[in-house]
Amino acid sequence: MHHSYATHTPLFWAALSVLAVLLARLLEWKAEKMAAGFFLGVLLHLVLDTVAGGVEWLWPFSTASYVLTDVPARHHPWVLNFLLHWTFGLEVAICVIAGLLFLRDHGLKTAPRSN
């Protein structure tokens, strides 16, 4: 299961964040907002994985996987177990809210009318 890979641990992303900031400063890039948004997205991904998938939050000190709820195997094909579980609705709601916020801030602008 991919949740046991190092890329699903907070320490991995914390280390990558430090390296990214150091590299950006070395190259004099002004990408703080973009980097912050990216790493907040990673953190949200880990939190959502904790809801139903399990994350090793204390790795490398512990390999215990923390998960809030179990998705029972009731449907075939297996993907329906996740699509029909309440946790999928949570992820859809987050995507809808993100889309609405994006449209609010960067929505389609209409050109001014000329008379």
Side-chain angles (χ1 to χ4, degrees):
M1 187 167 167
H2 75 278
H3 289 181
S4 63
Y5 298 168
T7 55
H8 266 76
T9 62
L11 184 61
F12 173 87
W13 291 103
L16 190 61
S17 297
V18 169
L19 291 174
V21 167
L22 292 175
L23 179 63
R25 288 192 178 167
L26 180 68
L27 298 174
E28 297 180 4
W29 291 347
K30 305 287 186 210
E32 291 86 5
K33 287 183 181 179
M34 184 174 63
F38 176 79
F39 291 113
L40 283 173
V42 169
L43 182 62
L44 178 60
H45 177 91
L46 293 175
V47 167
L48 287 173
D49 276 354
T50 302
V51 173
V55 171
E56 296 176 4
W57 283 95
L58 300 177
W59 182 87
F61 309 107
S62 170
T63 58
S65 182
Y66 296 90
V67 63
L68 298 178
T69 188
D70 185 43
V71 178
R74 296 182 181 152
H75 307 286
H76 183 76
W78 67 269
V79 72
L80 289 177
N81 296 302
F82 291 95
L83 293 176
L84 298 175
H85 196 262
W86 66 266
T87 55
F88 185 69
L90 176 64
E91 294 191 32
V92 169
I94 289 169
C95 290
V96 168
I97 291 168
L100 291 172
L101 290 173
F102 178 83
L103 289 175
R104 182 192 71 185
D105 295 342
H106 306 286
L108 298 173
K109 307 283 191 239
T110 58
R113 294 184 183 179
S114 59
N115 291 335

